[in-house]
Amino acid sequence: MFSPRSGFVSVPRQRSPIAKLRGAGAPHPLHVDRRDFLRLGGVGGLSLASLLAARGAGAAGQSGTLGRAKSCILLFMGGGPPQQHTFDLKPDMPVEIRGECQPIATNVPGIQITEDLPLLARHADKYAIVRSVTDEYTGGAHGQSVYLALTGHHNPRVKGDDIKPEADDYPCIGSAVARLRTTDQPVPPHVWLLEMHRRTFAGEGAGFLGKQYDPFRILQDPNRPSFQVEALAPPKDVSLDRLNARSQLLRELDQRSDAFLDRPTTEGFRGYSELANKLLTSDQAKKAFDLTAESERTRDRYGRHKFGQGTLLARRLVEHGVPLVTVYWNGEQDVSQGWDLHYEIHKRLKPLISPLDRAFSALLEDLSDRGLLDETLVVWMGEFGRAPRIEPGGGRGHWGKCYSVLFAGGGIRGGQVHGRSDRQAAEPADLPVSPADLVTTIYQALGISADTELIDVQGRPLRLCQGEVIRPLFG
């Protein structure tokens, strides 16, 4: 199908090892500040309810037989982590290719990762490493690759960086999950934590699904003592009794509207207005975001830094019923450009990889100890990897031709490596996997069929994703 606005062309899914696809991505995530959210509460709850009611439109696509994961935590390393310094080392190559780090054994015989990830090395039995992810289309720009990684689609409009969202873009994974995986819990269906590139890319939000499916966005540093989600706090001059009274008024107005609105419309509006009120009045919603409820030992275990506390918060959110949480992370404040390591890679990688090791390993261990790992999919990825050869400035350029991604939990069989890169980690040597395959596999683990269709802004059914499921990953 062709869109005169975006030039989008929908083509049948290809059956080659790397899915050939065309598509589109997603728009600006909804940044809900306290003032806006409170305006959506009370009588303003009419506004939030109106937004939520739009979720009644479109196609459902959940299948209980495809995957057993109830939720997903996506750890997204904005900028592009280097595969040669993390999960695909080349110790036999010259230093200008392999870098300065050395491999260490993991708790799975035959699997090695970098010596800078000693804690994750103890948990290799819990995750699968995909070392053959390859993108045949984008030129290695952040904007193009972020779009592809988060939607599983290409968009001819999205070329280079600094490409702003459009209303007819494809939705990101979290927004699609929010649309397709309904929850009766009084929590947002898709939460965005931290920052990726300190700018907005196409592919980060709900696209043609509408802004009501944009992520609930929290950019504050959860490691700060003063951290709280102010948007969930009612105004000081409005008591809970008054909020509940306003909610009752909304229900009465809904009942009266039955006379001139069809039943599905009024029932849907009533349900969404109640959800709006729950987000402001529910103890469960407040508890989900309350890091002070965690013990000092647990908080130390994840690491007293932005990424560590953000990852801990993600665990709390899925534990309280949030279907998908994305933790975007481009590094601590003292690491210029974060994972976009164009210079002095060995020096600048240290303050990035240590927090990663501590938080990621704690998350896997914590989910396992709580009996949640089997029902929680965890994915670690960036928009691409880094070039095979270290450049004169001591860094590595963008590289989408071959990079690594990790999967854990949610039915994934840990302790395995899928695919293989060549001697320089420059191209796949075996079992190539496309970004579209990664997105399709995430949906698979969550029980959402790749055949699901979504309705775009022009009322046309569009296939959710066109990649192939990486079936060997599942136990």
Side-chain angles (χ1 to χ4, degrees), residues 172-323:
C172 69
I173 302 167
S175 294
V177 170
R179 170 65 188 86
L180 299 171
R181 290 285 298 268
T182 58
T183 175
D184 57 359
Q185 302 297 321
V187 289
H190 174 205
V191 177
W192 159 318
L193 300 176
L194 312 185
E195 291 182 299
M196 179 163 48
H197 283 286
R198 298 183 179 89
R199 52 184 167 175
T200 301
F201 285 124
E204 297 177 357
F208 60 68
L209 291 181
K211 286 189 173 295
Q212 67 270 26
Y213 292 105
D214 275 335
F216 185 80
R217 208 171 173 210
I218 300 172
L219 303 183
Q220 302 101 308
D221 183 352
N223 189 43
R224 293 182 177 178
S226 60
F227 172 76
Q228 63 176 336
V229 183
E230 294 183 350
L232 297 181
K236 295 180 180 180
D237 58 343
V238 179
S239 67
L240 292 180
D241 288 341
R242 287 181 64 188
L243 284 177
N244 287 325
R246 293 176 182 182
S247 179
Q248 178 61 34
L249 175 60
L250 289 175
R251 285 193 290 270
E252 293 175 1
L253 291 173
D254 288 343
Q255 293 171 359
R256 295 181 182 182
S257 68
D258 286 343
F260 55 89
L261 291 177
D262 60 279
R263 182 178 297 273
T265 298
T266 56
E267 288 181 351
F269 186 86
R270 187 173 301 122
Y272 301 128
S273 65
E274 291 175 357
L275 175 58
N277 188 64
K278 285 180 181 179
L279 288 173
L280 286 171
T281 61
S282 169
D283 288 337
Q284 181 175 343
K286 295 181 178 64
K287 288 178 180 178
F289 290 93
D290 184 12
L291 280 174
T292 64
E294 298 290 336
S295 69
E296 294 297 307
R297 181 176 178 272
T298 298
R299 298 194 70 172
D300 290 342
R301 184 177 167 194
Y302 278 80
R304 295 287 186 158
H305 39 72
K306 180 169 63 176
F307 182 64
Q309 298 306 296
T311 303
L312 174 56
L313 181 55
R315 191 223 76 204
R316 287 189 60 82
L317 291 173
V318 298
E319 203 171 20
H320 283 80
V322 177

Side-chain angles (χ1 to χ4, degrees), residues 419-475:
R420 179 171 55 89
S421 64
D422 63 14
R423 296 178 67 245
Q424 300 184 27
E427 295 184 8
D430 187 34
L431 299 175
V433 169
S434 76
D437 296 336
L438 299 176
V439 174
T440 303
T441 300
I442 293 173
Y443 287 134
Q444 162 81 41
L446 290 166
I448 299 174
S449 170
D451 296 326
T452 299
E453 291 184 336
L454 298 173
I455 307 302
D456 74 353
V457 291
Q458 299 182 21
R460 305 167 305 173
L462 298 177
R463 189 184 179 92
L464 175 65
C465 50
Q466 294 177 325
E468 301 284 348
V469 175
I470 313 170
R471 297 196 179 276
L473 294 183
F474 295 88

Side-chain angles (χ1 to χ4, degrees), residues 148-164:
L148 177 59
L150 294 181
T151 70
H153 293 269
H154 283 275
N155 186 341
R157 180 183 71 82
V158 181
K159 297 179 180 179
D161 289 329
D162 298 319
I163 307 299
K164 300 302 181 184

Side-chain angles (χ1 to χ4, degrees), residues 1-9 168 456 458 460:
M1 299 179 181
F2 177 76
S3 166
R5 179 179 181 183
S6 66
F8 164 66
V9 180
D168 57 358
D456 74 353
Q458 299 182 21
R460 305 167 305 173

Side-chain angles (χ1 to χ4, degrees), residues 13-34:
R13 181 174 55 172
Q14 304 295 311
R15 300 294 179 179
S16 61
I18 299 298
K20 312 292 184 181
L21 45 126
R22 297 288 186 268
H28 194 159
L30 178 62
H31 187 173
V32 185
D33 61 23
R34 184 173 185 272

